[in-house]
Each structure stands twice: as C-alpha cells, then as structure tokens.
Amino acid sequence: MDDRIETPAFVVDENLLKKQVGSFRDALDRGWPGAVLSYSVKTNSLPWLVAWMGRNGVPAEVVSEEEWQLALRVGHAPNGPVKTRELLAQAFDAGAMVNLDSRRELRWVAERVAAGKRVDSVGLRVNWDVDRDAPDHTASGSAGLRFGF
C-alpha cells in the first residue's frame, strides 16, 4: 500500500483546531459578550470541517443556496445572509439566525412577522467606512463594501 498523501489534501490537527476555536471564543466573550462565533462556509466548504464546526457549537455562516444545502447535509442549520425570499423562509422555518444585509430582506422579515410566521433571531450586517479608519487596509478602498447597512 502506498502511504503517500496525494494533493490537494487537507490535514487537520483536531486537537489544535479545538484549542484555537476555544481561544477565539474566549477572546470574543471578553471583547464582545454575546457575539456569535460562526464559520464561513464560503471560505472553506470542506464538508468534514463544516460538520465539525457544527458539532462543536460553531454555526455555519452561509451566503448561497449551495452553502445552505451543504450545512444541512452535514447536520446543522446554518446562519447567514440568505439571498432569496424562499431561502429566507427556509432559514427561519429551521430556526436559523439570519443576518440581514439589505432593505429588501428587512422588508421580507417585516412581511413574515406581520403574517404571524416564525422569526426567531436576526442579525444586521453593518458596514462602516473601514478605509477611513484603516487607510489602505481594505481591498475595496473608496468603493466601499457591497453588503450591509
């Protein structure tokens, strides 16, 4: 049997990952009590990693239907800015926290609440002028960021 690891390959030290997640969570708790640590599925959609994060109390942050489906397939309801009315409804029906980043999504939530439908938790994605506060440290520069209020 050949013991060589073929590339591409992801090698994860699970104990180190658990330690790093705990350290990040502790730092958030000290600096921003009540913050929700979430895992960006867009950044790394490796199913094992998405599932591991879910099992360890780190919800999946999703931005597309494909990411939503992946998170559900590996066993947990994701959070995130869902972009269609249908996915927004599915997310709320599943009890997910949905991060809103447009007036359209805010309007859909208000309509849903007015209709007496389930909305457990929402977050608002808020952007500020990062380039003003940290000149030359953003990829967007003066163009600004595309998501959020």
Side-chain angles (χ1 to χ4, degrees), residues 71-109:
L72 290 177
R73 277 195 312 274
V74 299
H76 62 93
N79 294 330
V82 180
K83 299 300 173 214
T84 67
R85 184 186 290 263
E86 295 77 24
L87 281 177
L88 187 85
Q90 287 178 33
F92 284 127
D93 290 344
M97 180 178 81
V98 177
N99 294 317
L100 306 175
D101 64 359
S102 72
R103 284 178 175 74
R104 175 186 72 173
E105 293 171 3
L106 192 57
R107 186 179 67 251
W108 291 343
V109 170

Side-chain angles (χ1 to χ4, degrees), residues 24 36-47 49-51 53-54 58-64 67-68 70-71 76 78-81 99 125:
F24 198 164
V36 177
L37 175 62
S38 298
Y39 180 74
S40 170
V41 175
K42 182 179 223 53
T43 302
N44 187 335
S45 60
L46 183 66
L49 195 50
V50 175
M53 291 292 180
V58 182
E61 175 77 16
V62 301
V63 297
S64 70
E67 294 169 19
W68 169 261
L70 171 62
H76 62 93
N79 294 330
N99 294 317
R125 185 182 285 193

Side-chain angles (χ1 to χ4, degrees), residues 1 8-9 11-12 20 31 35-36 54 72-73 76-77 79 82 86-87 96 111 120-121 124 128 135 145 148-149:
M1 178 187 219
V11 179
V12 177
Q20 289 176 331
V36 177
L72 290 177
R73 277 195 312 274
H76 62 93
N79 294 330
V82 180
E86 295 77 24
L87 281 177
E111 291 169 0
D120 291 340
S121 182
L124 290 178
W128 67 93
L145 302 170
F149 293 94

Side-chain angles (χ1 to χ4, degrees), residues 9 15 20-21 23 27 31-32 34 55 59-60 64 66 69 74 87 93 97 100 115 118 128 147:
N15 290 326
Q20 289 176 331
V21 166
S23 178
W32 294 279
R55 286 191 311 274
S64 70
E66 293 79 14
Q69 295 299 330
V74 299
L87 281 177
D93 290 344
M97 180 178 81
L100 306 175
R118 179 180 183 177
W128 67 93
F147 296 113

Side-chain angles (χ1 to χ4, degrees), residues 24-35:
F24 198 164
R25 186 174 276 132
D26 290 344
L28 276 177
D29 289 344
R30 283 191 309 275
W32 294 279

